[in-house]
Amino acid sequence: MLLKSVVILCFSVTLMSCSSEDTSEVETTKPSIVLNTYTQSDFELELLDLINQDRVSKGLSALTILSQISYVASTHDDYMISKGVISHDNFEERAESLEAGLGAVTASENVASGFNTPSGVLAAWNASPAHRANLEGNHTHFGLAVKADATGKKYYTLLFIRK
C-alpha cells in the first residue's frame, strides 16, 4: 500500500497536462515565440512514433510532426530546466504562438520529467486521465522536445495542435 501511494505521489508530482480551446476573440499581435525549426533526436522520434502507434491502436489518426511545434516545446524544456521543476508556466503564450504562427485552432500540452525511456513516459501519460485525454485528443499535428539538465534528468514537453 505504501508503494502504491508513493507511485501515485510521483505521478502527480512529475506529470502535468494542459489544453486550450480557441476563443472567439481575434488576437492581432505577433507570436511571442519565434517558430524556428527543430531537429528531433532518435529518442524523441521514438517517443513520437510510440504516441502515433498508441493512437492508431485506439482507432485514432496518426499525427504529423511539425518541427516548429517541437521548437516551441524545446523553449519550454529550457525554461523548466532553468527553474528545476516541471510546469505549464506560460502555456497561453506557447498556444498563442502556435495559433498565430501555424494557424492552430486548439493547443494542448503534456509535460513530464525524470523518465528515462520513451515507453516509460508514454505509459505514465496514459495512466493519467488528463494526459491520456491530450494523447487521444482531436489533434492533427504535434511536436516534442526532450532535454536533460546538468544531472541528466530528462524534461519532456509534448505539444499538440489542431489546424
Side-chain angles (χ1 to χ4, degrees), residues 40-54:
Q40 305 291 156
S41 70
D42 289 342
F43 186 93
E44 292 162 333
L45 289 171
E46 181 181 346
L47 179 50
L48 290 167
D49 187 51
L50 287 174
I51 292 165
N52 269 337
Q53 288 176 31
D54 186 57

Side-chain angles (χ1 to χ4, degrees), residues 60-71:
L60 303 168
S61 63
L63 304 175
T64 302
I65 301 167
L66 286 180
S67 67
Q68 296 90 344
I69 298 173
S70 297
Y71 176 79

Side-chain angles (χ1 to χ4, degrees), residues 86-111:
I86 62 169
S87 73
H88 290 290
D89 292 354
N90 309 310
F91 171 71
E92 288 304 319
E93 181 180 296
R94 288 186 295 287
E96 289 170 7
S97 294
L98 295 169
E99 290 165 8
L102 296 174
V105 177
T106 62
S108 300
E109 175 178 84
N110 284 358
V111 296

Side-chain angles (χ1 to χ4, degrees), residues 4-120:
K4 183 176 180 181
S5 297
V6 170
V7 169
I8 291 171
L9 178 62
C10 288
F11 279 145
S12 65
V13 170
T14 61
L15 295 172
M16 300 178 91
S17 71
C18 193
S19 65
S20 168
E21 291 296 321
D22 184 31
T23 64
S24 60
E25 294 179 25
V26 175
E27 187 73 31
T28 59
T29 61
K30 294 182 179 179
S32 52
I33 299 173
V34 176
L35 298 180
N36 291 326
T37 58
Y38 181 86
T39 303
Q40 305 291 156
S41 70
D42 289 342
F43 186 93
E44 292 162 333
L45 289 171
E46 181 181 346
L47 179 50
L48 290 167
D49 187 51
L50 287 174
I51 292 165
N52 269 337
Q53 288 176 31
D54 186 57
R55 286 179 58 86
V56 169
S57 75
K58 296 172 181 174
L60 303 168
S61 63
L63 304 175
T64 302
I65 301 167
L66 286 180
S67 67
Q68 296 90 344
I69 298 173
S70 297
Y71 176 79
V72 173
S74 78
T75 66
H76 189 56
D77 282 349
D78 292 337
Y79 174 84
M80 292 189 298
I81 289 169
S82 75
K83 298 293 183 184
V85 296
I86 62 169
S87 73
H88 290 290
D89 292 354
N90 309 310
F91 171 71
E92 288 304 319
E93 181 180 296
R94 288 186 295 287
E96 289 170 7
S97 294
L98 295 169
E99 290 165 8
L102 296 174
V105 177
T106 62
S108 300
E109 175 178 84
N110 284 358
V111 296
S113 69
F115 296 91
N116 291 318
T117 65
S119 59

